[in-house]
């Protein structure tokens, strides 16, 4: 802003300088946003390290994710949870953060509206939680980079999905993605099943 003011006082105009100033503003904004996200993540990670994994019903996790999201009126949410799905043993705050990120991405992928389906079913030693949207989809060449830090197709820091997968691994699970351009995206969060005899769901 000081440079712009000085140029105005000098009655100097330069498209090149103006473009470079815009680049500086954009880069500074990206760094500030990432700094904010990192601070929040460090706080949550610190809380998680001191916390113990708990046994929790999957329905509670999905309902919390649905309630926490600011869902536009043109987006429908559908819950599909298998009757026999097991509870999971996880660090609650980290999983809530993962699902919040996935819900945000699904909403952003459907600016014209659509449907988000939240599914849950047992698979091997895990419970699979799927967040499925009917949005714009992801180009195949970008799928391998979607969880990379700083990678983003929407001008953000790219921190969200990197953090989501990191938190999935911290819970001894994983986070994967399948997508096709124009046909929506499915994120699958794998979380360790709790042993049936130890179900003490919160």
């Amino acid at each position: 802003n000081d440079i712009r003011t000085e140029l105005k006082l000098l009655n100097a105009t330069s498209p090149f300088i103006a473009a470079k100033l815009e680049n500086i503003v954009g880069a500074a904004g990206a760094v500030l946003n990432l700094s904010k996200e990192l601070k929040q993540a460090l706080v949550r990670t610190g809380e998680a390290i001191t916390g113990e994994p708990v046994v929790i019903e999957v329905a509670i996790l999905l309902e919390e994710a649905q309630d926490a999201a600011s869902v536009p009126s043109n987006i429908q949410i559908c819950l599909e949870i298998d009757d026999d799905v097991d509870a999971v043993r996880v660090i609650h705050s980290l999983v809530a953060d993962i699902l919040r990120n996935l819900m945000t991405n699904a909403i952003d992928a459907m600016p014209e509206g659509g449907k988000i389906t939240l599914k849950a079913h047992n698979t091997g030693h895990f419970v699979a939680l799927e967040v499925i949207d009917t949005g714009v989809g992801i180009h195949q060449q970008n799928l391998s980079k979607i969880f990379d830090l700083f990678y983003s197709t929407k001008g953000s820091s790219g921190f969200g999905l990197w953090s989501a997968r990191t938190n999935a691994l911290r819970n001894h699970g994983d986070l994967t993605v399948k997508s096709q351009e124009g046909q929506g995206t499915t994120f699958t969060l794998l979380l360790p099943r709790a042993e049936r005899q130890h179900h003490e769901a919160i």
Side-chain angles (χ1 to χ4, degrees):
N1 285 336
D2 288 343
I3 293 172
R4 285 170 173 162
T5 300
E6 186 65 19
L7 288 172
K8 193 173 181 180
L9 290 173
L10 294 171
N11 289 320
T13 59
S14 167
F16 176 80
I17 292 176
K20 290 300 181 182
L21 286 175
E22 286 300 323
N23 290 343
I24 290 170
V25 170
V31 170
L32 289 172
N33 285 336
L34 178 60
S35 173
K36 180 181 177 182
E37 291 172 338
L38 283 171
K39 287 176 184 176
Q40 292 171 345
L42 286 170
V43 169
R44 289 193 296 269
T45 301
E47 292 170 349
I49 290 172
T50 59
E52 290 293 323
V54 296
V55 175
I56 185 167
E57 296 291 344
V58 168
I60 294 175
L61 292 171
L62 293 181
E63 287 165 4
E64 285 178 348
Q66 181 179 349
D67 292 342
S70 298
V71 183
S73 58
N74 62 355
I75 292 179
Q76 174 191 0
I77 296 186
C78 180
L79 279 173
E80 297 181 12
I81 302 172
D82 284 2
D83 292 337
D84 66 344
V85 71
D86 280 335
V88 292
R89 183 177 292 276
V90 295
I91 299 172
H92 188 180
S93 61
L94 291 185
V95 174
D97 200 48
I98 295 169
L99 292 172
R100 186 163 48 247
N101 267 313
L102 297 183
M103 288 292 292
T104 298
N105 273 276
I107 292 167
D108 289 346
M110 298 185 291
E112 305 301 322
K115 179 180 178 183
I116 298 174
T117 304
L118 303 176
K119 291 186 176 182
H121 59 89
N122 296 328
T123 175
H125 297 295
F126 298 93
V127 173
L129 281 67
E130 296 178 346
V131 179
I132 306 166
D133 68 59
T134 58
V136 295
I138 303 167
H139 194 283
Q140 293 302 302
Q141 69 183 24
N142 295 333
L143 279 178
S144 62
K145 301 178 281 188
I146 201 75
F147 297 117
D148 290 353
L149 184 58
F150 303 128
Y151 178 78
S152 174
T153 58
K154 53 186 182 181
S156 65
S157 66
F159 182 77
L161 286 177
W162 174 86
S163 173
R165 185 159 192 271
T166 299
N167 286 340
L169 295 172
R170 282 194 184 120
N171 277 283
H172 306 290
D174 201 357
L175 180 62
T176 61
V177 62
K178 289 182 180 179
S179 185
Q180 201 165 349
E181 274 191 295
Q183 298 185 28
T185 300
T186 298
F187 282 97
T188 301
L189 173 62
L190 296 175
L191 297 174
R193 291 166 65 174
E195 295 178 18
R196 287 183 179 275
Q197 61 267 36
H198 291 150
H199 277 190
E200 298 172 357
I202 63 171

